[in-house]
Structure formats: structure tokens, C-alpha cells
Amino acid sequence: MQLTTRKTVNQWTEYTLTNDHDMSVSFLDFGGIITKMMVPNREGKLENIVLSYEDYKQYEDNPNYFGALIGRVAGRIEKASFELDGKEYLLIPNEGKHHLHGGTTGFHQVLWETKPFQTENEIGMKLFHSSPDNDGGYPGNLDVTVKYTLTNDNEFIIDYEAVSDQKTIISLTNHTYFNLSGNLKDTVEQHVVMMDCEEVLELDHELIPTGKLMEVKGTPFDFSQGRTLAEGIQSEHPQNIIAGNGYDHYFLLNDGTIVVKDESSGRVMKVKTNQPGVVMYTSNTLEEGLQLQGGISKQYSGVCFETQGSPASLHHTVLPEITLQAGEKYQKQTIFSFQNE
Ligand code: FUC
């Protein structure tokens, strides 16, 4: 196992963790952005399975949130406001009147402090960021630690921890776009996804959750037996159409497990989380024509599995809350593990 570092054109540091099977994960101290994941296909060939810019300068303004850590709250906060113990908090709107992915002070654009670590079968990096009280309108001084770990079992583990000195709200995630075909050979339309989920949050035309939980049975949102993403992308279901022809929805997970398979390469990714759900986004609105590592971006170039608590819980009571008490430890984990079939 080894850790290598290099300076990027804009003087950030890029770290690469490599395990004993030559699987590697690269990321920046800026935004904790994952820039590369080299994972073997069924022939053992290592290829990059995440979307990343060719020119790292483009990460400075990263409207697609490629690979980045998202906080304080992932997803959309309706009308950029919420109430906590009877007090109204106003955040900075950055998508129309709404607040998306932590807003203008989001964690995807801060320089994280780093500290490497290594054990017998794991190599990794701890990333630290302190977000001051009233940062972007959020209450509480919040100390965040994110740990990226690569194991010799081809697992990439993200541990999220945070503590605030005041009651606050928090829901952290990572916004990596996966494409298991490798080096962007294909879109993700033929990826097969399986997850144990009975209900999905319905969206309105601004992609704001209505608060209604939709039963997935008999719809393209039912992934219990596994289905290709193409089915939802091509579907006439109003919820697929509203999302820009595809998926951009919060799936409430029963057992926190998602399995993604790409038949062409043989790669299988298992996602395991203790978060209550996941936003699966099939890059329906991804800007086309961007120069990425391995090719040019187009619609459906990647799929994100943004494990998170839903910010819709701030305005609707049907979902687990995302509040954190003063002094309480926020502790979440998502494991991405890789195999071949
Ligand atoms: C996802 C989506 C949004 C947005 C963003 C870049 O998290 O929920 O719709 O497009 O990514």
C-alpha cells in the first residue's frame, strides 16, 4: 500500500491511495474532490470509473459537483429556509429561491486540512474543516472530519463525523459520478441497479420534494429485482420526466445496500451505508461537451449515489430528521466495494 502526492496546476494537493491489488483512489485537499478511481475490470485491467475534469482549473467552479464532499446539507432546502425550535433560519439561495448542496459556502469549495494514516490493511486520509457559526446562515460552530480509507479488500470507505456547539442541521455526502464501463467508454444506461426500497420522495417541477412518498411497486423506481437505468431514462413515468428524463430522487433504503453492475466490463460496485436513504442522480442535466478524463461529457455519462438524510425532513414529517444536538456526534459511513463478475 502506498500514498503519493502531487501539486496540481492551481497549487492544490492531489493524494493517491493505492492498495496491494493496485486499486487506487485519488482526491484533492480542495473540496475533498475524488478525481480518479482506478478499478480492475473482469480481465484485471485498471481503468478510471469516476467522472473528472481533464483540466483541474475547472474544479474551482464545479457546478456539477464532480467528486466533491457536500455540506452542510446535501440536496435542496426549499426556499432556503428552515425552522429549528421555533426560530427561522435563512440560508443563502443559490438555485432560484432554493438552497442547493450547502450553498455558496459549501464544503465542495473549501480547502480541507489533511492527515494521512496507515494500518496493516488500510491506507487513508483524514480531512478536517471547521465551519463557523452562521456560515452561510447555518447555526453552530461545526467541526467536520471526513475519513477516506482504501482497504486491501478493494473497499473505499467514507466516514463522516461532526460536532456542533449549538443545535443545528447536517447531512453530508459525496457527489462522485460513477461510470463502471471504465475510462468513459459508454454511458451508464446499461448499468443494472438493485436496491431494497419501497418508497421514493416525489418531486415537483423545481426538483423540490413535495413531501409525498411514492410507492415504487409497478413503476420504474422499483429496483428490488434489479433493472437497467435505461428503463427510467426512457420511461414515460411523470416522475422520470420531471427529473429531466431519468432519476434524481431520494430513495428510502431498507437495509442501506445498493448493488450496481456493468455487464460490459464485469465491474460490480456495492454501496453500503448507515444513512436512511440515497439520492440516485443519473446526470440527466449534466452539461454536455465538457472535456473529461477519458472523453467528453454527455447526458447519462455518470450516476451518483448520494447517501444522505433528506433535507425535505425540514419541511415534511414523513422522513428521518437531520438535526444534530449541541455536543452530539454526527457519525455516518458509506462503503463502496468493488468486485468482478
Ligand atoms: C444532484 C441533483 C441535482 C443537481 C446536482 C448537480 O445532487 O440532485 O439535481 O443537478 O446533482
Side-chain angles (χ1 to χ4, degrees), residues 96-214:
K97 50 187 187 302
H98 309 297
H99 175 93
L100 174 67
H101 291 335
T104 49
T105 58
F107 295 173
H108 62 292
Q109 281 176 320
V110 304
L111 205 57
W112 292 70
E113 268 177 61
T114 54
K115 193 169 180 231
F117 66 89
Q118 187 167 352
T119 63
E120 204 188 329
N121 278 306
E122 296 182 342
I123 188 159
M125 188 70 72
K126 281 187 174 177
L127 299 102
F128 306 96
H129 174 59
S130 289
S131 167
D133 182 27
N134 201 30
D135 195 9
Y138 287 101
N141 291 296
L142 184 78
D143 289 326
V144 186
T145 304
V146 176
K147 195 166 81 164
Y148 284 163
T149 307
L150 179 65
T151 75
N152 273 332
D153 294 323
N154 284 6
E155 293 167 315
F156 179 63
I157 306 170
I158 310 183
D159 286 289
Y160 301 89
E161 278 186 16
V163 180
S164 168
D165 60 358
Q166 277 179 55
K167 188 172 177 184
T168 191
I169 59 169
I170 182 169
S171 176
L172 306 177
T173 196
N174 176 282
H175 208 291
T176 292
Y177 291 69
F178 293 94
N179 183 326
L180 301 182
S181 74
N183 294 349
L184 219 53
K185 272 196 282 301
D186 221 327
T187 66
V188 295
E189 286 157 279
Q190 292 312 314
H191 283 31
V192 175
V193 173
M194 196 182 297
M195 55 180 153
D196 186 5
C197 157
E198 285 145 40
E199 292 174 318
V200 164
L201 252 188
E202 182 189 82
L203 299 177
D204 72 11
H205 66 282
E206 286 184 298
L207 304 178
I208 300 294
T210 62
K212 192 176 156 217
L213 286 169
M214 183 183 92

Side-chain angles (χ1 to χ4, degrees), residues 9-161:
V9 276
N10 31 15
Q11 295 308 302
W12 299 323
T13 304
E14 184 179 49
Y15 299 96
T16 299
L17 309 170
T18 307
N19 72 10
D20 290 345
H21 310 295
D22 289 333
M23 175 183 160
S24 68
V25 179
S26 303
F27 54 90
L28 301 170
D29 51 0
F30 181 75
I33 292 171
I34 294 171
T35 51
K36 198 180 270 191
M37 286 179 84
M38 299 296 283
V39 174
N41 68 4
R42 67 162 75 80
E43 274 86 48
K45 188 173 173 208
L46 292 163
E47 290 169 314
N48 182 22
I49 57 140
V50 304
L51 302 196
S52 37
Y53 285 119
E54 179 85 55
D55 175 5
Y56 279 31
K57 285 208 166 117
Q58 291 191 263
Y59 283 117
E60 286 168 18
D61 177 32
N62 182 9
N64 302 294
Y65 302 86
F66 282 147
L69 289 173
I70 307 292
R72 295 188 184 194
V73 172
R76 292 181 171 84
I77 300 183
E78 186 177 352
K79 301 206 177 82
S81 73
F82 65 97
E83 227 182 79
L84 209 53
D85 293 340
K87 185 172 170 202
E88 193 186 31
Y89 290 89
L90 299 176
L91 304 172
I92 301 166
N94 62 331
E95 196 187 60
K97 50 187 187 302
H98 309 297
H99 175 93
L100 174 67
H101 291 335
T104 49
T105 58
F107 295 173
H108 62 292
Q109 281 176 320
V110 304
L111 205 57
W112 292 70
E113 268 177 61
T114 54
K115 193 169 180 231
F117 66 89
Q118 187 167 352
T119 63
E120 204 188 329
N121 278 306
E122 296 182 342
I123 188 159
M125 188 70 72
K126 281 187 174 177
L127 299 102
F128 306 96
H129 174 59
S130 289
S131 167
D133 182 27
N134 201 30
D135 195 9
Y138 287 101
N141 291 296
L142 184 78
D143 289 326
V144 186
T145 304
V146 176
K147 195 166 81 164
Y148 284 163
T149 307
L150 179 65
T151 75
N152 273 332
D153 294 323
N154 284 6
E155 293 167 315
F156 179 63
I157 306 170
I158 310 183
D159 286 289
Y160 301 89
E161 278 186 16

